[in-house]
């Protein structure tokens, strides 16, 4: 922007720079790009490409993933581990149930043909990332546990459809829990004499759809040409990491294109950083 001001070039296009606060937009509401869109302050940008500078490695990022954070709370029956036939082990139930859920997910949401076009390194995934239980002695089968994780979804699937399907999997397991695989001769998920059944409860935090940039956009072609001229090569890429807010911009009619000059290798490190040499390349 400084160079444009100094040279006073006569441009065919209007260049508007927007600096936003609250980039992640989770804890603080009413500020940032969503507030600008709501108040119509970005409407002028609908006439051309909107470059979102928040990715990495000096290359166009043409696809990002959606995200569905989930929690699977599993209820069993607490008992002494020396009498496992009197317990419903929620840890075993969680492992077997999750195996079924993941198997059905990958069957229903397989790799999409467009993922190769966009260069996604991975297809959609559904996996656990955290496990917790209330605590207790090692000689005690706990009464409950919670497995948490996320779905990373390529933008060719919709998070609402996936959440609905995941809930269907859990409902089906609950209705047929006695048919679920067990672990060993006394492992079970139903105690008929006590009228107790193990159960699963699935909940979700806020979900976000992914983005597939318009590869026919003039803005995309210009970005690729500029990248090749400055960096020396152009290699657009896609990842199932999630960028907040830009899908909403795309849905509002903006031609969103993304690039960035940090280092992907330091994503979510204690200190994310970029190299001054990479910034100098662009000047």
């Amino acid at each position: 922007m400084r160079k444009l001001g100094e040279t006073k070039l006569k441009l065919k296009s209007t260049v508007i720079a927007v600096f936003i606060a609250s980039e992640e937009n989770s804890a603080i509401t009413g500020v940032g790009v969503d507030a600008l869109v709501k108040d119509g302050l970005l409407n002028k940008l609908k006439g051309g490409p909107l470059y979102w500078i928040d990715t990495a490695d000096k290359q166009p990022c043409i696809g990002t993933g959606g995200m569905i954070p989930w929690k699977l709370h599993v209820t069993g029956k607490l008992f002494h581990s020396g009498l496992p036939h009197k317990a419903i082990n929620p840890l075993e139930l969680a492992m077997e149930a999750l195996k079924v859920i993941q198997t059905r997910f990958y069957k229903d949401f397989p790799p999409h043909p467009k993922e190769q076009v966009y260069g996604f390194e991975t297809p959609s995934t559904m996996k656990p990332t955290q496990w917790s239980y209330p605590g207790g002695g090692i000689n005690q089968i706990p009464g409950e546990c919670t497995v948490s994780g996320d779905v990373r979804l390529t933008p060719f699937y919709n998070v609402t459809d996936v959440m609905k399907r995941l809930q269907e999997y859990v409902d089906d397991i609950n209705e047929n829990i006695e048919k679920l695989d067990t672990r060993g001769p006394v492992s079970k998920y139903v105690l008929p004499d006590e009228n107790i059944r193990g159960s699963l409860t699935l909940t979700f935090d806020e979900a976000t759809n992914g983005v597939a940039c318009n590869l026919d956009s003039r803005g995309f072609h210009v970005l690729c040409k500029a990248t090749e001229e400055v960096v020396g090569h152009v290699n657009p890429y896609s990842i199932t990491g999630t960028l907040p807010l830009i899908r909403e911009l795309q849905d509002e009619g903006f031609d969103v294109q993304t690039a960035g000059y940090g280092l992907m290798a330091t994503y979510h490190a204690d200190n994310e950083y970029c190299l001054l040499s990479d910034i100098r390349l662009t000047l």
Side-chain angles (χ1 to χ4, degrees), residues 11-260:
L11 303 175
K12 296 180 181 179
S13 302
T14 300
V15 179
I16 301 173
V18 180
F19 298 87
I20 63 167
S22 188
E23 170 260 339
E24 293 291 350
N25 196 44
S26 55
I28 305 172
T29 59
V31 299
V33 73
D34 54 334
L36 295 176
V37 171
K38 181 180 178 182
D39 293 339
L41 297 175
L42 298 184
N43 288 344
K44 290 182 179 180
L45 301 184
K46 290 185 178 180
L50 185 157
Y51 294 111
W52 185 268
I53 309 300
D54 189 32
T55 55
D57 289 354
K58 309 187 296 290
Q59 294 294 326
C61 178
I62 56 177
T64 66
M67 181 184 179
I68 307 171
W70 55 265
K71 291 183 181 179
L72 186 67
H73 184 75
V74 184
T75 303
K77 184 196 173 186
L78 182 150
F79 217 84
H80 193 285
S81 66
L83 301 167
H85 61 295
K86 293 182 176 293
I88 295 176
N89 191 323
L91 306 178
E92 293 181 346
L93 175 52
M95 287 186 277
E96 292 297 339
L98 190 58
K99 179 181 178 181
V100 171
I101 292 169
Q102 286 182 287
T103 299
R104 294 181 65 174
F105 170 85
Y106 288 114
K107 181 180 178 181
D108 289 342
F109 302 97
H112 194 283
K114 286 187 177 180
E115 291 165 9
Q116 291 186 350
V117 176
Y118 277 76
F120 277 94
E121 294 187 4
T122 63
S124 300
T125 58
M126 185 270 177
K127 67 280 185 192
T129 58
Q130 295 178 337
W131 193 304
S132 63
Y133 83 111
I138 199 169
N139 63 344
Q140 186 181 68
I141 296 172
E144 61 182 300
C145 69
T146 301
V147 184
S148 303
D150 67 12
V151 174
R152 294 288 176 155
L153 199 66
T154 59
F156 316 111
Y157 293 112
N158 187 281
V159 294
T160 302
D161 297 334
V162 174
M163 292 164 69
K164 179 181 177 182
R165 198 65 61 88
L166 291 175
Q167 186 61 59
E168 290 174 356
Y169 304 159
V170 170
D171 291 344
D172 186 51
I173 293 171
N174 278 328
E175 292 175 8
N176 301 280
I177 205 159
E178 60 278 339
K179 297 179 181 178
L180 198 63
D181 286 346
T182 54
R183 301 194 167 200
V186 297
S187 176
K188 61 178 73 68
Y189 310 126
V190 179
L191 298 174
D193 294 343
E194 301 179 55
N195 196 28
I196 297 176
R197 294 170 62 90
S199 63
L200 313 172
T201 302
L202 180 66
T203 57
F204 301 104
D205 289 332
E206 185 177 358
T208 305
N209 275 307
V211 170
C213 295
N214 180 6
L215 303 186
D216 296 323
S217 161
R218 180 171 176 267
F220 171 65
H221 296 152
V222 169
L223 177 60
C224 286
K225 182 180 179 182
T227 301
E228 186 171 25
E229 289 178 356
V230 174
V231 179
H233 65 279
V234 59
N235 184 28
Y237 67 95
S238 297
I239 56 173
T240 52
T242 301
L243 282 176
L245 305 174
I246 65 172
R247 176 58 183 263
E248 288 85 345
L249 288 172
Q250 193 178 58
D251 291 342
E252 288 284 340
F254 295 93
D255 174 21
V256 178
Q257 304 291 332
T258 72

Side-chain angles (χ1 to χ4, degrees), residues 55-58 231 260-267 271-283:
T55 55
D57 289 354
K58 309 187 296 290
V231 179
Y261 303 93
L263 296 176
M264 191 182 299
T266 65
Y267 270 3
N271 292 292
E272 295 185 26
Y273 62 89
C274 61
L275 298 177
L276 188 58
S277 58
D278 289 343
I279 303 303
R280 283 179 177 147
L281 274 174
T282 67
L283 296 179

